[in-house]
Amino acid sequence: MKGKWPIPAGVVSALRKVGMDIRDARRRRRLTMALVAERAMISPATLGRIERGDGGVGIGSYAAVLHALGMLPLLRDALDLSRDAVGQALNVEQLPKRVRMK
């Protein structure tokens, strides 16, 4: 039996915003749910769940919808190193203090 894991409140909030943004992007493009679902190769019901920010939908389905809307580069670049200030700071901390010639 599958257990349902609780989703942190911040994640729920972020997924709801992503879902609303996807819905708005679809509507701005004047595309029906049926057409976007077909292009993303998912069911219209799954697209509805995505637009509501359902955390139970796989990230692959979210990516397929972004692809169908021509917005996949936004996902691809979301975790780019240039946007990761914490990662960059940690990387700088690991640099050697001195460099010596052998």
Side-chain angles (χ1 to χ4, degrees):
M1 181 169 131
K2 288 186 178 180
K4 185 159 177 133
W5 295 92
I7 299 175
V11 174
V12 171
S13 175
L15 286 174
R16 283 188 184 146
K17 181 177 182 329
V18 167
M20 287 188 294
D21 291 347
I22 286 173
R23 183 197 64 219
D24 292 345
R26 176 184 60 78
R27 292 171 68 192
R28 281 192 302 271
R29 287 162 176 72
R30 309 278 195 265
L31 299 173
T32 65
M33 288 183 75
L35 181 59
V36 172
E38 180 181 332
R39 288 180 180 177
M41 295 183 281
I42 60 173
S43 70
T46 300
L47 178 57
R49 290 176 59 202
I50 288 170
E51 290 187 355
R52 288 189 298 277
D54 187 329
V57 178
I59 191 168
S61 296
Y62 276 87
V65 170
L66 291 173
H67 177 69
L69 295 172
M71 301 175 73
L72 191 58
L74 295 174
L75 178 62
R76 185 191 64 226
D77 297 337
L79 296 175
D80 187 79
L81 176 63
S82 65
R83 297 173 184 248
D84 185 5
V86 173
Q88 289 177 351
L90 291 172
N91 192 25
V92 168
E93 288 176 7
Q94 294 176 357
L95 293 175
K97 300 293 181 208
R98 293 186 211 173
V99 178
R100 294 183 180 155
M101 300 289 289
K102 289 187 177 185

